[in-house]
Amino acid sequence: MSASRTIIAITAVVIALLGCGSGSNQVPAADALSLGLPGTSSPANWTLGGVPCALIPPADAAAPLGTGTCPGVRPGAIVRSDVGQCTLNFLFQGSDGSRYIGTAGHCILGTSPFGGDVGEMAWASGTGPVARDADGNPIGEFAYAILQDPKDFSLIRLDPQVQASAGMCHFGGPTAVNDDRPGLTEPVVLNWFGNGVGVGAVLPARSALAAGMPSPDHVFAQGAAAPGDSGSGVISSDGRAVGVLVTVGVHTASIGSGGLDAGLIGMTRLTPQLERAKAVLGLDLVLQTAPTL
């Protein structure tokens, strides 16, 4: 790894380490500006699976030079809202004839000034906040969003004329949904393409290692994330969709004979969130797949 990549990777890990803690030793969320990076102010604390952590803040709405290496509307591409800049995850076909694409819920709901959950929102067609691509062009409007532990997910109803691809930049996929729950002695390699400030300009395609995925609602893994990575779709090494990258910090959920459910980044699993969105919107949503690269 070159020196410049090493510095960026270390910076992202510093953000993760300062993002949150566990128990009485919890550390306040880091401000991207205090680390010499462009970004928004520190997000309010949240919990994922009951574990104190910090939501990955959206980046400033203006994309930094060098990001946007995943053009168009697809998993891994930039999305902008009134809250800031995040990353798109997976594409879905709705039973209403519309196409939907996901990102994190806090990318449109923001964060509570007091910490904790914000709630859940749904918008009828023609009434949702506008979502834009990396160039500022409207791509659709938000139809649904939730920020309520253990869910952090939103869906954008795409405009009919917008071209979209199901394939994740660099990695390809998703090939299907991964609802597996391997124990903590069964490591899983996870991949995503994100637009984190700094690290996203040089290493947008990244991998992480989870000791296992025992929870149906979250995954904790060892990896690096930065402001702007929020909402990235995460796939396992076989291309199946696992969930959504949303938090940073020293996540420690449980210790048992099988190992430690812990990591520096946190993801919300896809299926429970998608099922909730389907129930609220009153329609079926089918994941659109693509071959791995």
Side-chain angles (χ1 to χ4, degrees):
M1 179 181 290
S2 68
S4 61
R5 292 192 179 196
T6 301
I7 291 171
I8 290 172
I10 290 173
T11 302
V13 172
V14 168
I15 294 175
L17 287 171
L18 293 178
C20 64
S22 178
S24 60
N25 295 322
Q26 183 172 337
V27 179
D31 189 328
L33 294 174
S34 71
L35 296 173
L37 296 172
T40 58
S41 59
S42 303
N45 286 336
W46 192 53
T47 60
L48 178 55
V51 179
C53 56
L55 295 165
I56 302 171
D60 287 341
L65 182 66
T67 61
T69 53
C70 182
V73 178
R74 61 188 300 183
I78 286 173
V79 61
R80 297 181 183 175
S81 72
D82 293 340
V83 173
Q85 175 184 300
C86 290
T87 300
L88 294 171
N89 52 62
F90 305 113
L91 181 67
F92 305 91
Q93 179 63 52
S95 57
D96 59 352
S98 295
R99 297 162 302 151
Y100 296 80
I101 196 163
T103 188
H106 73 269
C107 290
I108 186 59
L109 295 176
T111 56
S112 168
F114 307 106
D117 295 335
V118 172
E120 186 175 40
M121 288 285 294
W123 295 271
S125 180
T127 66
V130 174
R132 301 178 184 275
D133 65 14
D135 296 322
N137 301 310
I139 62 171
E141 60 185 19
F142 283 87
Y144 171 79
I146 186 170
L147 179 57
Q148 187 169 313
D149 187 9
K151 297 176 175 65
D152 185 356
F153 183 63
S154 65
L155 287 169
I156 298 161
R157 184 184 296 109
L158 295 176
D159 291 338
Q161 74 277 10
V162 170
Q163 295 185 352
S165 169
M168 182 181 294
C169 286
H170 185 79
F171 294 108
T175 57
V177 176
N178 186 342
D179 289 326
D180 295 352
R181 295 174 60 185
L184 294 172
T185 58
E186 302 173 80
V188 181
V189 175
L190 303 169
N191 301 320
W192 75 92
F193 194 103
N195 294 286
V197 173
V199 66
V202 180
L203 297 171
R206 275 162 279 155
S207 298
L209 183 66
M213 301 193 300
S215 171
D217 293 310
H218 71 257
V219 177
F220 297 151
Q222 305 300 334
D229 279 328
S230 306
S232 299
V234 180
I235 59 175
S236 47
S237 58
D238 60 3
R240 291 183 294 158
V242 172
V244 183
L245 178 61
V246 295
T247 61
V248 292
V250 185
H251 307 74
T252 304
S254 61
I255 302 175
S257 59
L260 175 65
D261 185 10
L264 294 178
I265 56 175
M267 305 145 203
T268 53
R269 298 202 70 165
L270 180 60
T271 293
Q273 301 181 112
L274 189 61
E275 291 302 314
R276 176 61 185 172
K278 289 160 64 173
V280 172
L281 294 174
L283 53 84
D284 193 22
L285 294 163
V286 178
L287 176 71
Q288 302 300 283
T289 60
T292 55
L293 300 178

